Amino acid sequence: MSQLSSETFFSTLPVFVEFEGVADASNYRALPADWALATADIVDSTGAIEAGRYKAVNMAGASVISAILNALGKHDLPFVFGGDGALVAVPPSGVEKARAALSAVQKWVTEELQLTLRAALVPVGDVNTAGLEVRVARFQVNPNISYAMFAGGGSSWAEARMKEGLFAVPPAPEGARPDLTGLSCRWNPIQSRHGDIVSIIAVPTGSGNNEAFQALISDVVALAAAEERDGHPVAAEGPQIGLSVAGLSAETKTAPKGKRLQHRLFILGQYLLLVCLYRLGLTLGNFDPRRYRREVARNSDFRKFDDGLKMTIDVDPERLRLIEARLEEAAKAGVCRYGLHRQDSALMTCIVPTPLSHDHMHFIDGAAGGYAVAASRLKKQGSAAPPVAVTP
C-alpha cells in the first residue's frame, strides 16, 4: 500500500448507510500495518460512576478523541467512543503527535477532572504479529458524518495490552494541556421516551462461532430497529435545549486557567443566544437553531461495532425483554458474553469545531453508568476471553 493510500485510508473507504451493515464482512478493510492505535481508559471508572461522576467520566473519554483529532488537524480518522475511554487509529505521519496528545490529555484528566487516565500507543504491525487484524468499516450516518466500526480482534487486543502496562504513554509534565477545542457537554440528560435507556455490550466467546455471532448481531439490531427511530435516544427534532451545570463546569476546564472566566461567560453567552434565536424563530447568518438541533439528533453516535456490538438505545419494556432473551439464549449457547445496564436517561458529549458546520459529532452513553457498568457486568459472566478475530 502506498504512503498516500495509507494516509487517506479512512476517507477513501466505501461507506454503508444501514446499520445492519455492521454484520457484513465485505464492508470491512484491514487497517494498514504502519498505522497505530491510540487507546485510553479511566482507571476504576466503576468507582467514579458509583460516586455520581458520570459526566466527568464521559468527558474524559471524549477528550481523548478531541485531543488527537485536534493535534493531527484531521476529523476523518477512525475512532470509537467507549464511555469511559476511546480508541483512535492514527496514520504513520501522526503517530508522534498522537503520543504527545495522549500524554497531555492524561495530565489534564488528572489535574482537572481528578480521574486517572491510562493510555497506550499500539502499532498495528504488533497486532498483526499477534495473529489478529484491525478491520475498519465506515458507517455513514448522514452525508455529513461517518463513524468507524472495528472488527478483527485487534482493538480488543490493544486495550488488553494497555491494561497490562504495555505500549504505555506516560503523562506529560505538570501543567501540560491538550488542545480540546470543540469539546463540549452542554445538553441536559435526555430522558427515555419509551421505557428505559439501555446500554448493551455483546462480544463473541470464540473464533469458531462466527456465523452464530453474526446472526445474533443481526437479530439484536433488528429487534432494536422495530422501535421508533431504531431506538435512538434523541428525538428527531433534537434534544431539549438546556444547559447542564456539570457539563458547564467540565467544559470550562478545557480552557487555560487564566481564561476560564472568559470561557465560561462565552459558553453562557452562546447558550442564551441559542435560546433567544430558538424561541423567536430567528436565524443568525447561516446558523439556524432548529436545524442545528435536528443535526445533533442525526449526527449522534448511539450504536457501534468495536469487536462486539455496543448500543445505547431507548426501548419499551417488551422490546427490551425480547432483546435480553436473545442475548441470554446466545450466552447459554456459548456464542457471546454480554452486559446490559438500564437507566432512565442518556448523556451526550460532543465535539463541535463550529456550530456553523454540519459535521459536529455527538457521543451518547447511559446517564447512570452506561457502557462502563455494562462492561463490568459482562466481565462477571466469566473471565475475559482472549480477543478473537471475529469479523461480522
Side-chain angles (χ1 to χ4, degrees), residues 241-305:
I241 295 176
L243 185 62
S244 161
V245 174
L248 175 62
S249 175
E251 187 178 346
T252 299
K253 293 175 181 178
T254 65
K257 287 188 176 180
K259 297 182 178 179
R260 289 190 179 171
L261 177 58
Q262 177 183 346
H263 189 55
R264 189 180 187 89
L265 292 174
F266 175 73
I267 295 168
L268 289 170
Q270 280 192 326
Y271 169 70
L272 292 173
L273 179 61
L274 173 65
V275 170
C276 290
L277 291 174
Y278 184 82
R279 289 182 176 175
L280 295 174
L282 302 175
T283 61
L284 182 63
N286 292 327
F287 180 71
D288 181 338
R290 285 179 168 75
R291 182 183 65 189
Y292 180 74
R293 280 184 65 204
R294 294 192 297 270
E295 286 179 349
V296 169
R298 288 199 299 268
N299 292 8
S300 295
D301 175 32
F302 70 101
R303 52 188 180 173
K304 61 205 78 181
F305 196 91

